[in-house]
């Protein structure tokens, strides 16, 4: 049912606009070891009451049960979305054997490789959800003694694979071809490059050092990968929700099975919070309500993710795919168009770098954007002064966004010796901060696998809740298929320009096909 046909939606919208967005007290939720501070997001009793009603109209509780018990919540592909099963100690019966057997196979493979001290290097070839999750987790947990040298290549630009292979001993390198479909051209092209590299280094049977992480066993076997080196994922797990599956194998190979197990445990703990906490005390739900309020009511077209931790650099692109590939939709299940703005563009950068890059815009652009801040209480290093600076910058920027700076405050700052009152008044106008700019602060006790797992699951459930409120399907991605198809069509024509069917492409594309094919 369209959102704006619901009285509860209009009550929610009115309550958001009426919320006094400065003078509210502390609003913190403790969930799976994380503290989610929503004190600098709009809130009111009326907003919460309307949200309750809205979620009831959306049969939210039933939707959550359908999600975790494996109903076809991905309704355009008639599939479940059982990423929660991948991290459950006891998955739902219909997938329990599959999940537990594959998890056991992964563990046995890792432990055997460790016992035999094999594969000093691992090259992970995947893209999108087959890359961001493991890449981000290994970067985030890099402080843990890494057992192996894990390299990633995602981009089809040959610089990516060349850099990934640089300096590696091909004899001691395991190659993971991570592709749920096993048809993604970037991953397959990179895999072929690695085969060539191994052959050029006198490796007679390169494919013996290849492992496939895929839902397409047949294609992996056709590619030449041995059946015992295929770890299965399933079509009921979305790519951007798949780090908990065999796609996460490089985490276990690089950091140890226990670290991967802790990642799963942290996510499961957040699952239990999501399914049991009341709406008011539910971190993913409350973050989703703020996300919907900021985007669909207050008109913020984007949201910035600013983790104040250099180890979380890849959290930004991971979240971009999770949020934008899940929520970048505009058609409801009944085929009607979504009638409110949805799915903010996600962007960002770790602090404090982001302060010297775009915080001017966040503070004094006419509109700005909400910000999610993430910080760890325990820095995992011994430089107390650095951590004090990091924390004070994170909290200082967040406070400035929320409290702003009035003209009177700016005038005091601008009244300087040698300046006339008129000059001070003029300068003061340029130093005002509107304030009331919303943010959420997520505090981790420390950046360990368990808390990272909880953080990722927090966002997965926030995205799911926003999709339920908007009435869209967060688990398909028809939009990327079209671009891929045109790209494949174009590639074939680039390979043989004389066969170019000019009618297929606009004049500019035709021009560049001619121009760029001449250069190689
Ligand atoms: O970006 C489109 C997409 O299908 C993602 O959803 C997916 O994570 C990525 O491409 C890679 O797909 P695959 O794992 O099938 O190679």
């Amino acid at each position: 049912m369209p959102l704006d046909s619901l009285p509860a939606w209009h009550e929610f919208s009115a309550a958001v606009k009426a919320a006094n967005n400065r003078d509210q007290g502390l609003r913190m939720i403790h969930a799976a070891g994380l503290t989610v501070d929503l004190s600098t997001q709009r809130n009111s009793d009326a907003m919460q009451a309307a949200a309750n009603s809205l979620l009831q109209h959306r049969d939210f509780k039933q939707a959550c049960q359908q999600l975790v018990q494996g109903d076809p919540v991905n309704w355009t592909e008639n599939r479940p979305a059982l990423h929660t099963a991948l991290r459950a100690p006891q998955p739902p019966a219909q997938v329990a054997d599959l999940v537990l057997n594959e998890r056991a196979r992964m563990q046995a493979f890792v432990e055997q490789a460790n016992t035999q001290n094999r594969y000093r290097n691992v090259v992970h070839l995947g893209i999108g959800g087959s890359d961001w999750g493991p890449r981000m987790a290994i970067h985030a947990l890099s402080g843990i003694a890494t057992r192996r040298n894990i390299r990633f290549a995602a981009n089809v630009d040959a610089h990516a694979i060349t850099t990934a292979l640089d300096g590696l001993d091909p004899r001691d390198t395991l190659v993971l071809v991570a592709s749920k479909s096993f048809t993604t051209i970037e991953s397959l092209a990179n895999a072929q490059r690695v085969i060539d590299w191994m052959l050029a280094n006198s490796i007679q049977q390169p494919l013996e050092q290849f492992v496939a992480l895929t839902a397409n066993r047949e294609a992996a076997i056709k590619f030449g990968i041995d059946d015992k080196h295929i770890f299965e994922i399933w079509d009921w797990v979305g790519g951007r929700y798949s780090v908990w599956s065999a796609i996460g194998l490089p985490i276990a190979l690089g950091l140890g099975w226990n670290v991967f197990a802790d990642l799963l445990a942290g996510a499961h703990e957040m699952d239990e919070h999501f399914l049991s906490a009341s709406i008011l005390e539910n971190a993913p739900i409350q973050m989703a309500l703020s996300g919907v309020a900021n985007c669909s009511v207050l008109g913020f077209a984007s949201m910035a993710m600013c983790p104040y931790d250099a180890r979380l650099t890849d959290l930004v692109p991971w979240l971009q795919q999770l949020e934008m590939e899940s929520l970048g939709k505009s058609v409801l299940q009944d085929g009607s168009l979504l009638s409110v703005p949805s799915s903010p563009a996600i962007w960002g950068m770790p602090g404090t770098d982001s302060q010297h890059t775009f915080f001017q815009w966040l503070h004094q652009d006419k509109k700005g954007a909400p910000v999610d801040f993430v910080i760890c209480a325990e820095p995992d290093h011994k430089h107390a002064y650095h951590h004090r600076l990091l924390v004070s910058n994170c909290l200082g920027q967040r406070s400035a966004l929320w409290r702003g700076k009035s003209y009177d405050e700016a005038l005091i700052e601008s009244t300087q010796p040698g300046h006339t009152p008129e000059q001070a008044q003029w300068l003061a106008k340029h130093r005002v901060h509107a304030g009331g700019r919303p943010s959420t602060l997520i505090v981790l006790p420390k950046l360990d696998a368990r808390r990272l797992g909880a953080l990722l699951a927090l966002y997965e459930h926030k995205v799911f809740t926003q999709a339920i409120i908007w009435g869209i399907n967060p688990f398909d991605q028809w939009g990327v298929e079209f671009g891929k198809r045109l790209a494949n069509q174009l590639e074939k024509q680039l390979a043989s320009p004389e066969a170019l069917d000019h009618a297929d492409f606009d004049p500019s594309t035709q021009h560049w096909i001619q121009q760029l094919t001449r250069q190689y």
Side-chain angles (χ1 to χ4, degrees):
M1 180 182 287
L3 208 47
D4 55 7
S5 66
L6 295 174
W9 171 251
H10 296 291
E11 290 160 18
F12 178 77
S13 303
V16 169
K17 290 169 187 165
N20 174 348
N21 65 359
R22 300 285 184 92
D23 309 328
Q24 58 181 351
L26 280 183
R27 190 154 77 94
M28 293 190 192
I29 299 176
H30 301 288
L34 312 184
T35 300
V36 177
D37 185 338
L38 295 133
S39 309
T40 49
Q41 292 283 0
R42 287 188 181 223
N43 185 49
S44 68
D45 294 345
M47 190 176 141
Q48 292 296 336
N52 229 316
S53 173
L54 190 55
L55 290 169
Q56 279 177 15
H57 274 285
R58 287 302 202 209
D59 297 323
F60 180 71
K61 276 294 174 198
Q62 182 189 359
C64 294
Q65 287 310 312
Q66 289 167 341
L67 174 72
V68 297
Q69 64 197 24
D71 290 9
V73 293
N74 174 354
W75 24 265
T76 60
E77 296 177 293
N78 194 31
R79 290 173 181 169
L82 269 171
H83 40 285
T84 51
L86 297 173
R87 58 230 189 184
Q90 290 307 322
Q94 77 263 37
V95 296
D97 288 348
L98 286 172
V99 170
L100 296 175
N101 291 343
E102 216 56 22
R103 201 185 290 166
R105 287 189 68 233
M106 287 169 65
Q107 183 172 2
F109 180 81
V110 171
E111 288 172 353
Q112 184 185 40
N114 293 347
T115 306
Q116 296 172 348
N117 204 20
R118 293 188 69 186
Y119 313 127
R120 184 154 35 92
N121 311 306
V122 174
V123 176
H124 181 94
L125 307 177
I127 196 163
S130 294
D131 168 72
W132 286 125
R135 184 194 290 258
M136 174 268 300
I138 284 176
H139 187 173
L141 302 172
S142 52
I144 296 172
T146 48
R147 188 182 187 97
R148 293 181 173 86
N149 177 21
I150 312 286
R151 301 272 182 94
F152 291 89
N155 197 329
V156 76
D157 175 347
H159 292 294
I161 190 63
T162 306
T163 304
L165 297 175
D166 186 30
L168 297 186
D169 173 359
R171 284 155 191 75
D172 211 2
T173 296
L174 178 72
V175 185
L176 307 182
V177 183
S179 176
K180 181 178 166 186
S181 62
F182 220 86
T183 60
T184 303
I185 189 63
E186 294 98 326
S187 309
L188 298 178
N190 283 335
Q192 189 54 54
R193 266 321 50 69
V194 180
I195 291 170
D196 297 347
W197 171 70
M198 287 186 164
L199 290 171
N201 283 280
S202 311
I203 305 278
Q204 301 305 318
Q205 301 297 335
L207 285 163
E208 287 179 0
Q209 294 170 229
F210 274 61
V211 163
L213 315 177
T214 186
N216 191 342
R217 173 180 293 275
E218 184 185 339
I221 289 169
K222 189 175 173 190
F223 187 83
I225 295 174
D226 189 292
D227 194 54
K228 70 178 184 306
H229 272 190
I230 298 175
F231 292 92
E232 201 164 4
I233 54 184
W234 301 279
D235 66 10
W236 37 262
V237 176
R240 51 197 175 273
Y241 297 87
S242 66
V243 68
W244 325 102
S245 71
I247 295 292
L249 186 61
I251 302 167
L253 285 165
L255 304 178
W257 182 258
N258 291 340
V259 169
F260 183 64
D262 281 351
L263 191 79
L264 300 185
H268 179 65
E269 199 176 341
M270 184 58 76
D271 294 343
E272 292 187 317
H273 165 80
F274 177 57
L275 295 170
S276 61
S278 69
I279 289 176
L280 264 179
E281 290 305 314
N282 196 302
I285 294 177
Q286 289 299 322
M287 283 178 67
L289 293 174
S290 294
V292 170
N294 289 334
C295 175
S296 304
V297 181
L298 299 175
F300 288 107
S302 74
M303 185 197 89
M305 162 51 84
C306 296
Y308 270 64
D309 193 307
R311 297 167 294 176
L312 288 174
T313 302
D314 293 338
L315 183 68
V316 176
W318 174 84
L319 188 66
Q320 283 180 311
Q321 188 197 9
L322 176 70
E323 292 241 1
M324 297 170 82
E325 200 166 81
S326 296
L327 298 174
K329 322 289 172 60
S330 50
V331 179
L332 309 183
Q333 191 163 6
D334 65 5
S336 64
L337 278 179
L338 183 55
S339 54
V340 298
S342 66
S343 180
I346 306 296
W347 53 288
M349 182 188 293
T352 55
D353 315 57
S354 46
Q355 295 171 200
H356 305 270
T357 308
F358 51 70
F359 265 68
Q360 165 58 40
W361 183 89
L362 286 170
H363 285 297
Q364 290 192 317
D365 173 70
K366 196 166 174 54
K367 185 76 180 173
V371 181
D372 277 9
F373 292 93
V374 180
I375 196 154
C376 301
E378 159 57 50
D380 290 327
H381 60 64
K382 305 219 178 313
H383 308 291
Y385 175 54
H386 283 257
H387 195 56
R388 196 163 60 244
L389 284 175
L390 184 74
V391 170
S392 53
N393 272 277
C394 176
L395 299 180
Q397 294 294 336
R398 175 171 166 258
S399 172
L401 287 168
W402 187 243
R403 69 181 296 281
K405 186 195 294 178
S406 68
Y407 173 76
D408 292 343
E409 288 172 317
L411 186 56
I412 293 166
E413 283 178 6
S414 306
T415 303
Q416 297 160 4
H419 275 192
T420 65
E422 292 71 27
Q423 282 173 322
Q425 289 158 15
W426 168 78
L427 183 57
K429 289 174 183 168
H430 296 270
R431 298 180 72 164
V432 169
H433 286 236
R437 303 214 158 170
S439 66
T440 296
L441 174 67
I442 301 169
V443 182
L444 283 65
K446 70 179 295 183
L447 187 52
D448 58 23
R450 196 175 184 93
R451 307 304 173 211
L452 181 64
L455 179 68
L456 305 185
L458 170 68
Y459 276 100
E460 287 181 345
H461 293 313
K462 169 202 179 247
V463 162
F464 171 71
T465 303
Q466 288 180 203
I468 295 297
I469 293 171
W470 282 323
I472 55 178
N473 176 2
F475 299 119
D476 59 7
Q477 54 282 319
W478 298 107
V480 291
E481 309 308 327
F482 180 49
K484 276 184 180 177
R485 184 156 52 80
L486 283 187
N488 288 339
Q489 184 187 337
L490 197 49
E491 189 275 328
K492 287 178 179 48
Q493 310 223 13
L494 280 171
S496 53
E498 67 284 354
L500 178 65
D501 180 351
H502 284 270
D504 277 356
F505 298 101
D506 58 84
S508 166
T509 304
Q510 293 174 33
H511 166 78
W512 290 113
I513 286 173
Q514 300 301 338
Q515 290 297 314
L516 293 177
T517 45
R518 284 199 192 113
Q519 292 167 15
Y520 54 81

